[in-house]
Amino acid sequence: MHYVATCESVGYQNVGHRSCCRSNAGGASAQLAGGDANTVAHELQQNNNAQAVVIADRILTTRPSDCQVLTLRGIALSREGQVSDAQNSFEKALESCPDSLPALEGAAQIAYAKRSAAATGLLQRILLQRPDDQTTHAMLGSLSFQHADCAAAIEHFERSLPLVQKSEEAQRELGSCLFSQGDHPKAEETFRRIAEQDPSEKNLLQLVMVEWKSKDFDAALNTLQPLLTSSSGDGKTFALAAQVAEEKGDTPRAVEWLHTAILKDPSETDNYLLFATISFNHASYQVGIDVVNAGLRQSPNAAKLYLARGVLQVQLSNYDAAVADFEKAHALDTKLSLCRRCHGYDSQSAA
């Protein structure tokens, strides 16, 4: 997202451009005033950007601080992709005319694209003159999101909703901040709008995650239905459905979907671990062990599976088997330090 700094109206890429008013050359020239500047502006309106730079450079040899010509030169250079030179031109313009909106917008566009620390200050200077400008608020919202300032991001995004709602990225940033700030209903609404605008698998799954974490289990499962019934539905989708169903309290369906997830992706260790967790929570320890055994046949060096099986073995008082599993897990991954506790289990069994 950025300004399109021209002698025309400014716009917002990825959010929806305001119209480029070439027929409004008189108004644009008036803002960037006078004489020779009009010639540069005319070349810009004809998209003769290189010629505009040539004319601007000629003028600047005698009037090096002409902020209007410097701004037009920056616009032409930006269009030509000469970003550093454009930035220098806008900065020189602001030295002479610190409140020039076209120069501020041009400099802000480049700073925003570079994620420069100067971007926020430039945008705030624009808001001093146009406090309700949606383009500027949307840009500040995105910058605030990137700086993990969700309170500020929400404030700016909400002051630019018509633009934000045209941008999937901006809506996603707004939705993420709303969720992190505890406003789950608005977060759901935002992610639902994204999914309605583009019902891609990615967008549907993001909506499911928000609905699930908001404890709206029925809505999450309903959103998942098209993916579960699709021939392209993968193991991760069924595993996610299983987790939602389990938290809802529908363990039979959770087990069914988890079995499907394992069949679709038998090498995915997390599915066996999830099954082990469900088995543990419902005291179905042997069933869990049997499923983990199947996982170990697929991934014989999966340390977490040995750890999970060890925990289940303890529940059945199979301490020797548990100790062996804990030691194997520790040997495969020293970060899994439950092996120290194995000796405690071993001592208990000996006693």
Side-chain angles (χ1 to χ4, degrees):
M1 293 185 290
H2 62 78
Y3 283 109
V4 177
T6 68
C7 58
E8 306 145 349
S9 299
V10 293
Y12 211 0
Q13 190 177 30
N14 296 333
V15 178
H17 293 276
R18 281 177 270 184
S19 299
C20 287
C21 305
R22 292 188 181 180
S23 61
N24 195 26
S29 297
Q31 187 180 13
L32 293 169
D36 295 327
N38 288 338
T39 306
V40 183
H42 175 75
E43 296 298 334
L44 281 174
Q45 288 157 3
Q46 300 301 314
N47 284 323
N48 297 328
N49 302 314
Q51 183 63 18
V53 174
V54 170
I55 296 171
D57 285 342
R58 186 185 308 136
I59 297 169
L60 291 169
T61 59
T62 56
R63 302 208 305 271
S65 299
D66 189 318
C67 61
Q68 297 157 342
V69 175
L70 284 165
T71 298
L72 290 168
R73 180 177 182 272
I75 293 168
L77 289 165
S78 293
R79 290 180 175 182
E80 291 290 287
Q82 300 179 45
V83 177
S84 295
D85 289 340
Q87 182 178 19
N88 291 336
S89 209
F90 289 129
E91 288 174 352
K92 288 180 181 178
L94 288 170
E95 289 175 7
S96 300
C97 304
D99 296 328
S100 167
L101 277 171
L104 282 169
E105 290 173 352
Q109 169 181 326
I110 293 172
Y112 179 86
K114 290 184 172 181
R115 295 299 185 261
S116 165
T120 298
L122 290 165
L123 292 166
Q124 293 287 2
R125 286 165 66 182
I126 294 170
L127 283 185
L128 289 176
Q129 298 185 58
R130 291 199 308 229
D132 297 321
D133 185 72
Q134 292 189 22
T135 298
T136 306
H137 279 296
M139 295 173 80
L140 282 168
S142 184
L143 288 173
S144 298
F145 173 81
Q146 290 157 22
H147 294 147
D149 186 353
C150 270
I154 292 170
E155 179 183 354
H156 287 299
F157 281 140
E158 289 186 340
R159 296 187 68 175
S160 54
L161 278 178
L163 290 178
V164 170
Q165 289 176 358
K166 296 177 182 178
S167 166
E168 187 172 302
E169 179 183 4
Q171 288 183 91
R172 187 171 288 112
E173 291 173 348
L174 171 59
S176 297
C177 274
L178 288 167
F179 188 85
S180 70
Q181 295 292 98
D183 195 343
H184 294 181
K186 280 190 177 180
E188 277 193 55
E189 179 184 338
T190 301
F191 280 102
R192 186 171 294 109
R193 185 183 303 108
I194 295 172
E196 288 171 352
Q197 291 173 350
D198 176 16
S200 65
E201 180 177 344
K202 173 185 175 181
N203 290 341
L204 288 172
L205 289 176
Q206 285 184 330
L207 174 58
V208 170
M209 291 298 294
V210 172
E211 291 170 333
W212 173 30
K213 297 304 180 182
S214 301
K215 308 297 184 184
D216 195 352
F217 305 126
D218 288 332
L221 292 174
N222 184 61
T223 301
L224 274 169
Q225 276 305 307
L227 299 177
L228 295 174
T229 56
S230 169
S231 58
S232 61
D234 60 14
K236 291 182 179 179
T237 301
F238 280 89
L240 176 58
Q243 292 176 81
V244 176
E246 175 63 12
E247 193 164 346
K248 180 187 175 184
D250 189 349
T251 300
R253 182 172 288 186
V255 170
E256 175 189 346
W257 280 332
L258 197 49
H259 271 301
T260 302
I262 290 172
L263 290 172
K264 284 181 171 288
D265 192 357
S267 63
E268 178 54 66
T269 300
D270 286 346
N271 292 337
Y272 300 101
L273 292 172
L274 179 57
F275 203 107
T277 299
I278 293 175
S279 298
F280 181 91
N281 291 339
H282 293 278
S284 298
Y285 308 123
Q286 188 58 53
V287 173
I289 290 171
D290 293 341
V291 172
V292 171
N293 286 340
L296 285 169
R297 286 193 289 272
Q298 293 290 330
S299 304
N301 293 318
K304 290 183 179 180
L305 289 180
Y306 286 102
L307 180 62
R309 190 173 67 179
V311 170
L312 293 169
Q313 295 283 14
V314 168
Q315 310 312 309
L316 296 175
S317 300
N318 297 331
Y319 296 115
D320 290 340
V323 168
D325 278 338
F326 290 144
E327 289 178 342
K328 180 67 173 179
H330 184 73
L332 290 168
D333 184 353
T334 56
K335 293 179 183 178
L336 299 178
S337 57
L338 266 183
C339 189
R340 293 184 177 179
R341 301 183 189 176
C342 327
H343 301 293
Y345 295 133
D346 189 42
S347 299
Q348 290 175 8
S349 61

